[in-house]
Amino acid sequence: MTTAQPAMLVEVEAVSKRFTPQLSLGDRLAALLGSPVETRTVHAVDRVSFGLEQGEVLGLVGESGCGKSTLGRVIAGIHPPSEGRASIAGETVMGDGRTPLKRTTRIQMVFQDPFASLDPRVRIGETISEGPLAHGLVSRTDAPAYVARWLTAVGLPVEAAERFPHQFSGGQRQRVAIARALAMQPDVLVCDEPVASLDVSIQAQIINLFLKLRRELGLTMLFISHDLGVVRHLCDRVAIMYLGRIVEIGPAAEIFAAPRHPYTRALLDSVPKLVTGSDELVTFKPIQGELPSPLSPPPGCHFHQRCPRAEARCRSDAPQLAGGTDEGTGHRVSCHFPLAGEA
Amino acid sequence: MSPVLLDVNGLTTRFATRAGSLNAVEDVSFTVAEGEIVGLVGESGSGKSVTGFSILGLIDPPGRIVAGSVKLNGRELVGLSHAALRSMRGREIAMVFQDPSATLNPVLTIETQMRLAIAAHESLGDAAARARCIEVLGAVGIPDAARRIEAYPHQFSGGMRQRVAIAIALLNRPKLIICDEPTTALDVSIQAQILTEMKSLAARLGTAMIWISHDLATVSSVASRILVMYAGRLIEAGPIAEVLRQPRHPYTRGLLGSLPGIARPGQDLVQIPGAMPSLIDLPQGCAFQPRCGFADAQCATMPALSAEGARSFRCHHPLAAETAP
Ligand SMILES: Nc1ncnc2c1ncn2[C@@H]1O[C@H](COP(=O)(O)OP(=O)(O)OP(=O)(O)O)[C@@H](O)[C@H]1O
Ligand SMILES: Nc1ncnc2c1ncn2[C@@H]1O[C@H](COP(=O)(O)OP(=O)(O)OP(=O)(O)O)[C@@H](O)[C@H]1O
Ligand code: SF4
Ligand SMILES: [Mg+2]
Ligand SMILES: [Mg+2]
């Protein structure tokens, strides 16, 4: 990341994250006896670098297991990186000492499952005010008004503060989770599949809420999703991840109209489209084969086994994320033989 | 038009719960022609799965089919004995679930499970049974089926396990397969592979399908007709391209407006206010009334399902045929 770009609010520099299983004695015995106990290291995130500008929404897209949540968690300071650094306004999100500690409240995270992420025994008002009180963002006397302000911001009635999570529907719980994150007054919100578990009609309500919050608060967001339609609707830029690496990043409109990485192209072609003409032929072009295991990622380009454009070089050299023909837009692609980029 | 294979009429399935009794499916009527793929869509809890289970006779207490009929090739299935239903399931109608582990037994090899499924309905010699299994696995896109048939389910990826579940559904060459969100849990690239294969298999074998999903785009890419459910009732049905182009029910139009991808990026989506009501505590009349922008006093009575050509809808104030979303 030495290119002269506008100063970024969030910098992610060569972040890698590996998980090495901590085996219990029982696991080790089972492994010895030939049971399928996993002992290998997972390379969940592999030297990822990018930046987030103040006020922008970056979508992070990719298939299950490609490392989206792990990367989001490293950026939000929930996991320490194995290597590299994530920082916000120059300040490292998480120290990398022996006991890594999250150092900042300026990044908050919203999770997929609004059912699991709220404590059923705690009233909504307390859930929202707990963090701000602990960090001195609000005094105990001002807490009720503070809670009311954030409930209103996410479109919930002020009385909701007195109720418990089970009294709310899925969409309302997700609003509570968003209010809880916003009440910490973060500069950056990392949202991990925040609408994935919601029905379409409720999903539309939450997407509209994000659009409104963006307009009103100028939030900077990393929006993780496997739903390309949602990302296209909400995000300024998109990063496409494949097996731990970012393979393409750039303006959303440009990537959706003219992807340059063969994987991005294939992913876009896999998405069923709404067919409304009786004579429209539905032609998917499914990607061949399956995602390789992150336990033993293939050498060279991670996509080469499934790629229609692969040549010998792709099997040995890992391509770098590089600027394409149009450096001005920051569109970068990691491929030896990128597509021309025409729609 | 092919002859009618399945005729569901006035189907009503009720569950007794501690909070009261609810009709998960109420007065649902539709037909499926031979070889036809029909999509069944609706929000979570609208009664899609219960409709599928009811057709298969898989409703157990506290649930019960309290009214209506389900006819397969003219033969009534409601009220059949357990034994008769068991011999029908798999052979005449099969079902594929969202989670393949509902079908697959983790302690048996794929081959054993497939041969048990054949043996339930037919006695085939060893070699013939094995050959049938390998053929069907190949048909659903499992490479190297002759070798992989000896594997256990955990040795397959999620997408491969779902293919095996589909293969088992195909084994006895049923006339109808009910697919309950079979690709929802899978990645788009795997989903696209399976959708393509299912569609061409159905065409080749003349198998009819009911494809249950909450995803309109997926349904529109496989089905030729669509059924939309809301709060246990069928509220709109018709040829899929027509329904999506010109929905007649306000709820269907709302669903389409909710989809990102139709609106311009960054614009607010058309949203339906509120959420689906609890089935135990339904509003008077049309269940969509509290969320509907067209509702008036008349909507406090239940609208009938009215038909116009191949289309039908349950609404007092259907959208004009030319209003596009
Ligand atoms: N705590 C952990 N311990 C061990 N392995 C992990 C852990 N968290 C994630 N992984 C592994 O890291 C890889 C990336 O996982 P991650 O959850 O980041 O993927 P994802 O892109 O978010 O997938 P999904 O779309 O399914 O949420 C996977 O192989 C996963 O099994
Ligand atoms: N065994 C049961 N006991 C009580 N109620 C039930 C039972 N099974 C289903 N229901 C209720 O019936 C209604 C319809 O459920 P169903 O599973 O058919 O919905 P669905 O449309 O398939 O939803 P989803 O998209 O979430 O799968 C729900 O309100 C559900 O709570
Ligand atoms: S019947 Fe009335 S409330 Fe129901 S959808 Fe039609 S207009 Fe809306
Ligand atoms: Mg994830
Ligand atoms: Mg269901």
Side-chain angles (χ1 to χ4, degrees):
Chain A
M1 288 298 293
T2 46
T3 41
Q5 301 242 331
M8 295 286 178
L9 178 62
V10 175
E11 287 277 10
V12 177
E13 292 160 278
V15 160
S16 291
K17 180 67 186 174
R18 291 180 292 272
F19 293 104
T20 307
Q22 309 272 314
L23 294 186
S24 66
L25 182 62
D27 285 344
R28 265 176 287 171
L29 277 174
L32 265 171
L33 296 173
S35 275
V37 171
E38 198 45 73
T39 55
R40 288 172 294 173
T41 298
V42 181
H43 296 260
V45 176
D46 186 10
R47 278 166 295 160
V48 165
S49 302
F50 66 86
L52 266 178
E53 257 176 75
Q54 167 71 46
E56 83 165 334
V57 179
L58 175 69
L60 183 59
V61 179
E63 294 180 89
S64 187
C66 70
K68 304 181 294 295
S69 297
T70 305
L71 180 57
R73 284 159 188 260
V74 169
I75 294 170
I78 293 172
H79 286 324
S82 304
E83 273 145 33
R85 182 176 102 109
S87 59
I88 174 161
E91 183 189 6
T92 302
V93 172
M94 193 181 233
D96 49 4
R98 206 156 291 134
T99 47
L101 268 183
K102 186 179 172 186
R103 288 197 187 149
T104 177
T105 59
R106 297 176 68 180
I107 301 195
Q108 294 295 324
M109 193 149 176
V110 175
F111 299 92
Q112 166 171 356
D113 191 350
F115 295 81
S117 73
L118 297 176
D119 186 333
R121 296 156 307 181
V122 179
R123 284 181 210 277
I124 300 303
E126 244 176 281
T127 294
I128 294 175
S129 60
E130 199 179 16
L133 282 171
H135 288 274
L137 294 172
V138 67
S139 67
R140 211 156 262 290
T141 33
D142 295 338
Y146 189 76
V147 166
R149 172 177 150 209
W150 290 111
L151 284 172
T152 311
V154 299
L156 286 173
V158 171
E159 308 83 70
E162 295 309 315
R163 292 193 239 140
F164 291 98
H166 74 261
Q167 292 167 288
F168 294 92
S169 67
Q172 290 173 318
R173 282 185 239 211
Q174 197 56 286
R175 288 178 197 266
V176 172
I178 295 167
R180 176 179 59 182
L182 291 178
M184 293 299 290
Q185 302 182 23
D187 297 312
V188 180
L189 210 53
V190 175
C191 302
D192 191 357
E193 309 263 12
V195 298
S197 63
L198 305 174
D199 271 313
V200 241
S201 79
I202 308 301
Q203 180 176 304
Q205 296 170 0
I206 301 294
I207 291 174
N208 285 351
L209 172 63
F210 277 121
L211 288 169
K212 168 181 148 256
L213 291 172
R214 228 198 122 169
R215 280 193 300 267
E216 291 175 2
L217 307 174
L219 272 182
T220 306
M221 282 198 263
L222 179 66
F223 191 91
I224 300 173
S225 176
H226 64 272
D227 187 328
L228 292 159
V230 172
V231 166
R232 173 184 212 161
H233 196 77
L234 208 60
C235 302
D236 308 307
R237 284 200 304 144
V238 202
I240 314 284
M241 229 177 145
Y242 187 78
L243 217 65
R245 294 178 183 161
I246 287 184
V247 298
E248 183 162 12
I249 185 168
E254 209 173 294
I255 288 191
F256 281 104
R260 303 209 53 219
H261 197 285
Y263 175 66
T264 313
R265 168 89 271 167
L267 193 65
L268 292 176
D269 286 343
S270 301
V271 180
K273 309 204 172 37
L274 205 61
V275 184
T276 56
S278 47
D279 45 45
E280 272 174 69
L281 262 186
V282 187
T283 46
F284 294 122
K285 284 171 260 155
I287 311 180
Q288 297 306 307
E290 298 197 17
L291 205 65
S293 160
L295 291 166
S296 49
C301 171
H302 281 171
F303 189 56
H304 79 251
Q305 294 149 322
R306 304 170 79 187
C307 182
R309 295 169 78 87
E311 293 186 22
R313 193 176 153 202
C314 307
R315 292 184 265 279
S316 53
D317 303 349
Q320 299 301 309
L321 196 60
T325 48
D326 198 359
E327 298 251 18
T329 65
H331 189 163
R332 292 185 298 150
V333 57
S334 157
C335 174
H336 294 307
F337 306 104
L339 301 160
E342 276 111 45
Chain B
M1 189 82 194
S2 309
V4 169
L5 172 69
L6 181 79
D7 187 351
V8 176
N9 211 318
L11 181 68
T12 302
T13 303
R14 180 171 302 161
F15 287 94
T17 71
R18 257 185 298 161
S21 84
L22 59 89
N23 289 349
V25 170
E26 184 154 353
D27 191 17
V28 164
S29 307
F30 63 93
T31 59
V32 180
E34 280 178 16
E36 186 186 25
I37 305 184
V38 175
L40 178 55
V41 302
E43 290 181 67
S44 187
S46 59
K48 305 181 296 295
S49 297
V50 172
T51 301
F53 292 145
S54 301
I55 292 169
L56 280 166
L58 284 174
I59 301 291
D60 288 322
R64 199 162 63 86
I65 296 179
V66 293
S69 101
V70 176
K71 289 198 177 113
L72 184 72
N73 277 324
R75 172 173 174 237
E76 181 60 67
L77 302 183
V78 175
L80 281 187
S81 70
H82 279 296
L85 284 169
R86 205 174 314 121
S87 103
M88 179 274 297
R89 280 197 294 267
R91 190 162 51 86
E92 293 175 79
I93 309 182
M95 188 149 176
V96 179
F97 302 90
Q98 174 170 345
D99 179 3
S101 54
T103 312
L104 300 179
N105 184 334
V107 302
L108 302 177
T109 65
I110 303 296
E111 175 168 14
T112 311
Q113 305 193 44
M114 294 185 83
R115 288 173 64 164
L116 284 172
I118 296 177
H121 299 295
E122 183 176 0
S123 57
L124 274 187
D126 257 13
R130 190 177 157 93
R132 162 101 57 97
C133 297
I134 292 172
E135 178 204 323
V136 175
L137 284 175
V140 297
I142 297 210
D144 201 7
R147 193 173 56 80
R148 301 195 74 181
I149 193 169
E150 280 152 27
Y152 288 89
H154 76 251
Q155 293 170 293
F156 282 65
S157 68
M160 284 293 168
R161 275 202 289 270
Q162 191 57 288
R163 282 170 210 258
V164 173
I166 292 166
I168 290 178
L170 288 169
L171 264 183
N172 296 295
R173 303 186 179 133
K175 291 267 178 319
L176 174 68
I177 303 184
I178 301 176
C179 299
D180 193 354
E181 313 246 12
T183 60
T184 305
L186 304 174
D187 273 316
V188 276
S189 74
I190 308 298
Q191 169 176 311
Q193 292 171 358
I194 291 184
L195 285 180
T196 318
E197 278 149 21
M198 289 289 280
K199 217 179 151 177
S200 73
L201 273 172
R204 210 166 69 227
L205 307 173
T207 315
M209 288 202 275
I210 297 177
W211 191 282
I212 298 177
S213 175
H214 62 274
D215 179 11
L216 286 169
T218 305
V219 168
S220 80
S221 63
V222 288
S224 56
R225 213 146 52 80
I226 189 173
L227 311 168
V228 186
M229 283 186 85
Y230 188 78
R233 292 185 186 256
L234 209 60
I235 54 102
E236 176 149 19
I240 193 154
E242 284 179 39
V243 172
L244 298 183
R245 210 166 39 229
Q246 294 193 336
R248 303 295 304 276
H249 197 286
Y251 174 68
T252 314
R253 184 165 84 169
L255 268 188
L256 284 164
S258 300
L259 292 179
I262 292 184
R264 271 221 335 271
Q267 277 191 329
D268 277 356
L269 300 169
V270 180
Q271 66 181 48
I272 310 176
M276 199 172 77
S278 152
L279 294 176
I280 294 185
D281 188 20
L282 285 176
Q284 274 287 317
C286 174
F288 189 55
Q289 178 199 326
R291 304 175 76 185
C292 181
F294 300 88
D296 63 10
Q298 203 187 351
C299 303
T301 61
M302 178 59 72
L305 194 68
S306 40
E308 253 176 44
R311 312 233 354 218
S312 50
F313 34 88
R314 191 187 277 281
C315 174
H316 289 303
H317 308 293
L319 302 163
E322 56 284 340
T323 337

